[in-house]
Amino acid sequence: MSSSVPSDRPIRIDNLQFVQPGTQSFSDWQAGGLDAVHITIAYHELFREMVSKVIAWNHWFEHQPKQIFHGRSADDVHKARASGRTAVFFGFQNPSPIEDDIGLVEVCHALGVRFMQLTYNNQSLLATGCYENQDTGLTRMGREVVAEMNRVGLVVDMSHSAERSTFEAIEHSVRPIAITHANPAAWFPAKRNKSDDLLKALAESSGMLGLSLYPHHLLDGTNCTLESFCQMAADTAEKIGVQSIGIGSDLCLGQPQSALEWMRSGRWTKIRDFGEGSADAPGFPDQPKWFQSGADFNNLDNGLKAVGFNEQERAAVLGENWLRFYEESFSPA
Amino acid sequence: MSSSVPSDRPIRIDNLQFVQPGTQSFSDWQAGGLDAVHITIAYHELFREMVSKVIAWNHWFEHQPKQIFHGRSADDVHKARASGRTAVFFGFQNPSPIEDDIGLVEVCHALGVRFMQLTYNNQSLLATGCYENQDTGLTRMGREVVAEMNRVGLVVDMSHSAERSTFEAIEHSVRPIAITHANPAAWFPAKRNKSDDLLKALAESSGMLGLSLYPHHLLDGTNCTLESFCQMAADTAEKIGVQSIGIGSDLCLGQPQSALEWMRSGRWTKIRDFGEGSADAPGFPDQPKWFQSGADFNNLDNGLKAVGFNEQERAAVLGENWLRFYEESFSPA
């Protein structure tokens, strides 16, 4: 563990990253005191393709056992904390890995997957993505899959879903759901950010919001200031309660352009889709200077302090809230 | 638990069955006092196809939780014993589910698979099956996969493999291997039965032999007597030690003819292969009268007693030996 992180500090969790695995990323996590990171392993992959991503991570678990291991339970976060490592939790940003087979929900849970978005940006078999013109809510299969996810302990994540679909997921799910990486639209009205009404419904159902550090979700993008971000966090805590807020940085680091194009266009279009980018700016946006890597959780701690979060509140936002959510969410019902 | 089985009896395990899942099979297991059964879930299936077999079993685990559950560790056998249920362990009779991808070994272990044959009857990517004319031993990939199986805790099973390949697997594996379902060729020289030299090498390396009740492996086939089978068990114990012997009945019950044809011909031939059967007798052979279902473990107990096995020896052969093997085999190295 980095000497800059006191050994009696609270648990820290980044509940959404899509960084390229490697010793640099893992060292950054340790420097930022991250005991757990939720990593995206699928955007458009079918089941067998997703399994190849699991295998790629298994390579790193085998070869860097002093830095990381595969996290499956809240206990693993404590285990990571005690051994100075980071527990890596798997998630999907699309239900494509379950194909059209509800039986794959339980199989994915057995493989250690703990979060699954019901949609990426488009309509899925389960619900509607935030880029569609019409939002028809949960589909027939969507309702069945949410019930099965509830049963096995796979968290419903609606970060990229459209509003009605998200309200219906909150309503239909008997366990709290998550929006792992998004910000309030009241702060910055990106298509991916969420209305206050939705965030209130999320929090009232004991759901969690992971605040995003992805420039396209930030006021002023790459030039967003730490103060602006942290003031937004304070305003959000005011609206929905500090207990419902964590970090899901959406940090994309060390990924090739092809990974971004796969995220955006998958195999669903023959015409290049630019997603939140544009033809003029087709690449990954630059991160703000104060959040360049997992190590910069220390900056977030300072920034939250500066806008008035006390020690306990900072601990809650930077990890303890997600830890409580993990405790309640990952075991079979 | 059936009232015919005393509650203080030792652990019983059938370490190979291919029965159709259903309440009849599960009741038979309970009547026979079976705390654990190793079930074949793949003959020629590729990875994704095998996962559908896992899903089919998950259906039964969900709907018959008072009779069965998915076994993953030796502790689960005790858990089954304590709750009057049967723990079901998964295995493959062919390495087809790992395709050409060594990374799938660990993934299959994560899905709860605990045994994998390096070959079915034919040459595989890993070794040579017992029906080939030439036995070239372990392949390059075979040696790598055995090492990986050793690492993750997936047992090498050579029941259907040719002799040289089996000797090489015993030699190359750093953990004991199994022949889960076969008999000594000295008793009945079927192609699938094993030489005394091979069985001695197996036992000297702490490996296990599961004695088979499949008629094609029995002297006089369907008409084999309980006494003949149990005397063979006694002779085998004399040769290689009682600690190396268990039961792997190879019981195929309630399966349609199409399952038998899939076992024998898979997709590897366009001409129908009859395996151990023949054009005149293409179906599953009839079981001996004294071993019709899992319930007939009680007959085996009586038969072993009649040929001189004492109580401790019968307990060892009918389950405790496999339990010890499970304890040593299923965890990562």
Side-chain angles (χ1 to χ4, degrees), chain A residues 238-309:
Chain A
E238 194 70 30
K239 282 179 202 162
I240 68 171
V242 72
Q243 78 288 340
S244 304
I245 299 172
I247 302 294
S249 72
D250 206 4
L251 187 70
C252 301
L253 222 58
Q255 299 289 0
Q257 179 67 15
S258 59
L260 184 61
E261 290 171 12
W262 172 247
M263 287 161 61
R264 290 172 172 174
S265 301
R267 285 176 289 235
W268 66 270
T269 174
K270 294 165 75 174
I271 299 163
R272 190 170 169 191
D273 186 76
F274 292 104
E276 295 175 290
S278 64
D280 291 339
F284 281 108
D286 291 335
Q287 284 296 126
K289 285 199 172 55
W290 45 271
F291 198 82
Q292 296 277 319
S293 79
D296 288 337
F297 255 62
N298 299 314
N299 289 338
L300 295 183
D301 192 41
N302 293 332
L304 292 172
K305 188 175 183 179
V307 299
F309 282 86

Side-chain angles (χ1 to χ4, degrees), chain A residues 47-48 51-52 54-55 58-59 61-62 72 98-104 106-108 110-111 148 151, chain B residues 47-48 51-52 54-55 58-59 61-62 72 98-104 106-108 110-111 148 151:
Chain A
F47 180 75
R48 178 64 183 86
V51 167
S52 291
V54 172
I55 291 170
N58 283 346
H59 168 88
F61 297 143
E62 183 180 354
R72 292 166 177 271
I98 69 161
E99 301 172 353
D100 63 353
D101 187 345
I102 195 168
L104 287 175
E106 186 169 12
V107 169
C108 289
L111 290 176
E148 178 70 354
R151 185 179 75 85
Chain B
F47 179 76
R48 178 65 183 83
V51 166
S52 290
V54 172
I55 291 171
N58 282 345
H59 167 88
F61 298 143
E62 183 179 354
R72 294 166 176 271
I98 68 160
E99 300 173 353
D100 63 352
D101 187 345
I102 195 168
L104 288 174
E106 187 169 11
V107 169
C108 289
L111 290 176
E148 179 70 354
R151 184 179 76 84

